Amino acid sequence: MGTFDVICCACPPPILAFTAYLLSKIRHTSYVILLTDLASDAALATGILKDGPAVRAARAVEGFVCRNADRVVCICQGFVEKLLERGIAPEKLVLIPLWGDTQQVYPIAGATEFRRANQLTGEQFLAMHTGNMGKKQDLLNVVRAAELSKDVKDLVWLLVGQGEERSLIEEAIDQRKLKNIRLMPLQPGEGLAEMYSSADVLLLNQKAAVVDSVIPSKLLTYMAAGRTVLATVSDKSETARYVERARCGLIVAPEDPKALVEAVLSMRADPALRERLGANGRGYVKQHFTKEKVLQEYDRLFSRYADKIDVQAETSKKAVAAG
C-alpha cells in the first residue's frame, strides 16, 4: 500500500467505515466518510429490519465512525439533521449534494426514436419510471395505478430497470392481465436523453415510511431531463423538499394508486404546465447541481488536507535548517 494523505470511505455499509477507522489508526492519518445513505434508517423504512438489537447495533457503529471521522460528507440536508440529532458535532458535517448529469441527460424537442423503437405511438401519454426495482421503490403501487387506469385510452405506464422485486412486479402484471404497463431492462447511457425526452412525466415512487433515510439519485437525473416529476413520496421526505424547491413537479400521496392516477391525468390535461415544470427542474439542476459545481466542493474539502501536508513539510524544512 502506497502513501496517502487522507482516507475517503463511501458508506454504507457502516462496517466499511469502521475499516476506514482502523486503517486510519494504523496509518496515523484522517478519514472522511462520504455518507450516501443512513443504512439503519433505510433498513427500518423498507422493512428489511425491525426495530431491535440489530438496528441499535447498526446505529452504534454509524455513530462511532461518524464521531471519529475528520469530516462526514452528507449528500442531503436530511442526513445532516439526523446526525445532529444523534450527537455528531456540527463542525464535522459537510453538505455536498449529488450532481445531475446535465451533459448526458438533456431535453430533446420532438423526440421520437425511443417511442418508434419500442412500438409506442406519439399519441400515447407515457408515464415512465427508471432505475432500481427494490423494496423502497414500492413499484407495485404503479402496477395498481395501471390496473385502475386500464380503461383510460392511450395511457401507458413504463418501468425501466432491474432489481430484487422485478420478478414480483412482472408476476403482478401478468396476473392482472394488464396491457397498459410495460417492463424494460436498463438502457444504454448514450440513449438516455432520447429515452427521457420521450416521456410525458417521470415517476419517482417510494414507500410512505421512507423519509430522510435515502434520497434517490434518479431525481436529479429526472430534473436534468427537463420533464415533469411526479413524486409519490412522503411530504416530509428529502425528495419532496427538492421537488418543492425546484418547482419541477407534483408531490403525490405514497401508497395511494388512485392519487397517482389522478396526478397523471391532471398532467395529461395541461401540457403547458408540464413544459413549465420540466423547464424549472432543468434550470434548477444547472444552477445548483452540475458535476462541475459539486466537484469544486470536493476539491475545496480535500485541498485542506493537501494544505495541511504542505504546512507540515514547510515546518520540517525550517526545523532541519535551524538544526
Side-chain angles (χ1 to χ4, degrees):
M1 185 181 294
T3 60
F4 48 84
D5 301 322
V6 64
I7 300 165
C8 181
C9 174
C11 179
I15 195 64
L16 187 60
F18 186 73
T19 303
Y21 162 77
L22 293 177
L23 185 58
S24 74
K25 292 300 182 185
I26 294 170
R27 300 302 294 265
H28 305 289
T29 190
S30 301
Y31 72 97
V32 173
I33 293 175
L34 171 55
L35 189 65
T36 59
D37 205 344
L38 287 170
S40 58
D41 286 23
L44 273 175
T46 56
I48 295 173
L49 292 178
K50 302 296 183 183
D51 199 4
V55 170
R56 289 194 292 272
R59 285 189 174 163
V61 175
E62 287 172 347
F64 178 85
V65 295
C66 288
R67 284 192 298 273
N68 285 279
D70 189 63
R71 292 289 187 274
V72 180
V73 178
C74 301
I75 62 171
C76 63
Q77 184 61 33
F79 291 178
V80 173
E81 293 169 2
K82 286 281 188 181
L83 293 180
L84 288 173
E85 290 173 5
R86 295 174 190 177
I88 307 303
E91 61 269 19
K92 287 185 178 288
L93 304 179
V94 182
L95 176 60
I96 303 179
L98 301 170
W99 67 69
D101 190 349
T102 55
Q103 299 299 313
Q104 189 175 47
V105 178
Y106 51 87
I108 300 174
T112 59
E113 290 182 20
F114 180 85
R115 286 184 179 242
R116 185 167 55 248
N118 292 284
Q119 294 77 52
L120 294 164
T121 70
E123 292 72 33
Q124 290 173 315
F125 190 86
L126 184 59
M128 179 189 298
H129 178 282
T130 68
N132 190 41
M133 297 179 176
K135 291 184 181 298
K136 66 188 177 186
Q137 284 77 34
D138 187 32
L139 292 177
L140 288 177
N141 184 60
V142 180
V143 175
R144 296 183 189 104
E147 185 176 22
L148 289 176
S149 59
K150 62 184 178 181
D151 296 325
V152 177
K153 184 180 179 182
D154 289 335
L155 172 58
V156 177
W157 306 80
L158 179 61
L159 307 180
V160 181
Q162 301 289 343
E164 60 181 316
E165 298 225 324
R166 182 185 168 105
S167 59
L168 184 65
I169 294 164
E170 189 169 14
E171 182 180 341
I173 293 171
D174 290 342
Q175 287 178 345
R176 291 166 171 81
K177 297 181 172 55
L178 298 177
K179 304 298 183 184
N180 62 337
I181 181 169
R182 294 173 54 181
L183 289 172
M184 288 181 59
L186 291 169
Q187 300 297 296
E190 60 270 18
L192 290 182
E194 176 70 31
M195 180 185 75
Y196 285 122
S197 294
S198 72
D200 292 294
V201 294
L202 294 171
L203 308 177
L204 198 161
N205 201 85
Q206 291 179 338
K207 292 180 72 68
V210 176
V211 182
D212 287 323
S213 57
V214 288
I215 177 169
S217 58
K218 72 165 66 65
L219 176 58
L220 295 179
T221 301
Y222 282 4
M223 291 162 67
R227 286 293 179 269
T228 293
V229 177
L230 295 185
T232 307
V233 299
S234 165
D235 59 6
K236 297 180 177 62
S237 68
E238 193 70 18
T239 299
R241 295 184 195 184
Y242 272 56
V243 171
E244 288 169 352
R245 287 172 190 161
R247 298 180 181 178
C248 65
L250 300 181
I251 307 301
V252 183
E255 300 181 33
D256 186 343
K258 182 180 177 183
L260 179 54
V261 172
E262 290 172 351
V264 167
L265 295 180
S266 71
M267 285 294 100
R268 185 171 74 162
D270 198 339
L273 178 59
R274 293 202 310 272
E275 184 174 353
R276 184 164 70 251
L277 294 175
N280 287 348
R282 174 76 180 177
Y284 195 80
V285 169
K286 290 183 70 175
Q287 183 178 358
H288 299 286
F289 301 111
T290 62
K291 184 176 182 179
E292 181 182 12
K293 288 180 182 293
V294 172
L295 290 182
Q296 284 174 354
E297 293 296 319
Y298 278 106
D299 189 55
R300 279 191 281 271
L301 171 65
F302 288 111
S303 66
R304 69 186 300 274
Y305 298 99
D307 291 343
K308 187 185 297 185
I309 297 301
D310 290 344
V311 169
Q312 291 172 345
E314 190 62 31
T315 302
S316 298
K317 288 178 185 176
K318 289 179 180 178
V320 170

